[in-house]
Amino acid sequence: LCTPGVLSLCCRPPAWDRATRPPSRPLQPPGLPLAPCRSFSNNKIQVELDESSGVAMMKFKSPPVNSLSLEFLTEFSISLEKLENNRACRGVIITSAVPKIFSSGLDITEMCGKSMEHYAEFWRAVQELWLRIYGSNMVTVAAVNGSSPAGGCLVAMSCDYRIMAENPKFSIGLNEAQLGIVAPFWFKDTFVNVVGQRIAERSLQLGSLHPAPEALKLGLVDELVPEEKLMEKAAAVMAQWLALPDHARQLTKTMMRKAVLDRLVAHREEDIKNFVTFISKESIQKSLRMYMEMLKKRKS
Ligand code: CO8
């Protein structure tokens, strides 16, 4: 997954190479208690790495709905980069600290009434994040503990495994069509790779949001568990994936995902231009404004 200049930050040496190198930190002196947990917290995301298991927990904490603003996307990418470059980290569980919401997707206010330059910067950040998660060397498990429309669904779909809380009120899907916008080809490619062409075609055209039990039937999530068991299950799944040799798993992941990643990398600038042209259209701006008004009305 190491496309020069684009995924450079994902290009840490593969684990089989790392295993032969000296440890990056001196070994703990005997008799001292281990200090396996490292955490870093930004404004919108909290990350805790358990160095003894090699598993990081990443929690979105941007109320009310964990919308993916430019700031959020930037923090998210930087957090992944830090973990990716940390030899002690082999896997990450992604979840939310906001009750009932995993992520409400891209922050619509970033796509409304802003300059062309802003749209371009925003879209580059969305691309960057997807390239990082979808192309990550780490094992990535999404513990979807709330609703997860559009960009939120993309984040979950880009992980290696998805576990969702068994609550029919939580839904997940690519609902862009409902907003009057069109999911770009790499959202679609990711979706097709998870659920297959037919389900993706129907679900995308209808902009469907699937309640958790339906998402399981469609294969959009891998399993449902009671909400209180979600983290325990995520840890068990992670342990199962980490039991395999990293190099075999990573090379297999690369084989499965490379074509889709390469497609965006090859058309990145064109994709940004398309987005900026599309989103700047008055008709699209109007659709987004109406959608935001609908969200507010529904509330009152
Ligand atoms: N962006 C910005 N603000 C949002 C978003 C969002 N995605 N979602 C919700 N909000 C705001 C609401 O407007 C509301 O604001 P305020 O308090 O000022 O009125 C606040 O967050 C709380 O929202 P709700 O009251 O609706 O909270 P609920 O807990 O009742 O519901 C939901 C949470 C289910 C997440 C609900 O808010 C919802 O359905 N939101 C819309 C989600 C959505 O449709 N997202 C799609 C975003 S587009 C995207 O991700 C991909 C775009 C690809 C672009 C391609 C173009 C070419």
Side-chain angles (χ1 to χ4, degrees):
L1 304 183
C2 297
T3 309
V6 177
L7 285 182
S8 57
L9 293 166
C10 299
C11 292
R12 67 176 182 175
W16 48 267
D17 184 29
R18 282 183 271 144
T20 59
R21 296 175 180 209
S24 53
R25 276 176 295 281
L27 292 171
Q28 191 92 11
L32 281 182
L34 289 172
C37 256
R38 263 160 207 263
S39 62
F40 52 94
S41 184
N42 304 303
N43 286 337
K44 298 182 179 292
I45 298 177
Q46 189 196 326
V47 183
E48 212 159 82
L49 170 63
D50 178 342
E51 293 193 343
S52 59
S53 65
V55 179
M57 178 70 69
M58 183 180 275
K59 280 191 182 166
F60 302 153
K61 48 158 188 134
S62 182
V65 289
N66 288 331
S67 63
L68 305 172
S69 61
L70 182 57
E71 190 188 344
F72 191 115
L73 292 163
T74 308
E75 272 189 24
F76 199 169
S77 283
I78 291 172
S79 302
L80 285 170
E81 177 194 352
K82 278 190 191 164
L83 295 176
E84 200 81 52
N85 290 334
N86 186 335
R87 288 159 186 244
C89 184
R90 297 174 64 212
V92 56
I93 296 171
I94 300 177
T95 194
S96 164
V98 175
K100 299 187 189 133
I101 309 283
F102 180 70
S103 163
S104 72
L106 301 190
D107 190 322
I108 299 166
T109 62
E110 299 276 16
M111 302 187 280
C112 259
K114 300 277 195 306
S115 68
M116 308 267 250
E117 291 71 28
H118 181 86
Y119 295 143
E121 187 188 3
F122 178 64
W123 199 245
R124 190 178 293 284
V126 180
Q127 291 177 334
E128 183 68 27
L129 176 68
W130 177 76
L131 290 169
R132 273 187 199 291
I133 314 183
Y134 204 63
S136 174
N137 266 325
M138 299 180 285
V139 175
T140 49
V141 173
V144 184
N145 51 349
S147 288
S148 194
C153 176
L154 182 76
V155 167
M157 287 195 301
S158 303
C159 291
D160 295 312
Y161 199 84
R162 284 156 290 287
I163 309 160
M164 192 165 181
E166 189 172 58
N167 184 338
K169 286 190 183 153
F170 297 163
S171 60
I172 181 165
L174 293 182
N175 62 325
E176 280 79 354
Q178 286 193 38
L179 284 74
I181 55 179
V182 182
F185 70 88
W186 40 285
F187 281 47
K188 180 270 294 174
D189 287 345
T190 312
F191 199 23
V192 168
N193 281 358
V194 172
V195 297
Q197 175 75 21
R198 175 61 193 138
I199 291 170
E201 186 180 324
R202 190 177 53 196
S203 181
L204 266 179
Q205 287 194 53
L206 294 173
S208 306
L209 285 173
H210 305 285
E214 192 177 294
L216 178 68
K217 263 193 214 148
L218 297 177
L220 181 50
V221 296
D222 296 298
E223 57 185 305
L224 300 186
V225 294
E227 197 165 352
E228 65 279 7
K229 296 262 165 67
L230 195 59
M231 297 324 295
E232 188 188 314
K233 184 72 203 181
V237 167
M238 179 61 80
Q240 184 195 3
W241 283 61
L242 289 181
L244 278 96
D246 280 344
H247 69 282
R249 186 193 48 73
Q250 286 165 350
L251 290 170
T252 308
K253 184 169 174 177
T254 303
M255 177 175 72
M256 298 303 293
R257 297 190 172 193
K258 189 171 184 310
V260 167
L261 286 159
D262 283 352
R263 201 163 156 219
L264 176 60
V265 170
H267 297 101
R268 206 167 166 182
E269 297 308 317
E270 190 187 329
D271 183 59
I272 293 174
K273 265 194 204 148
N274 286 343
F275 172 77
V276 173
T277 308
F278 182 80
I279 214 74
S280 314
K281 284 186 184 151
E282 188 38 43
S283 57
I284 302 301
Q285 287 288 308
K286 195 173 162 199
S287 292
L288 290 177
R289 282 195 301 268
M290 281 167 58
Y291 188 77
M292 285 302 277
E293 274 163 29
M294 180 279 289
L295 284 180
K296 284 194 196 311
K297 268 195 201 133
R298 202 186 53 172
K299 202 172 168 185
S300 55

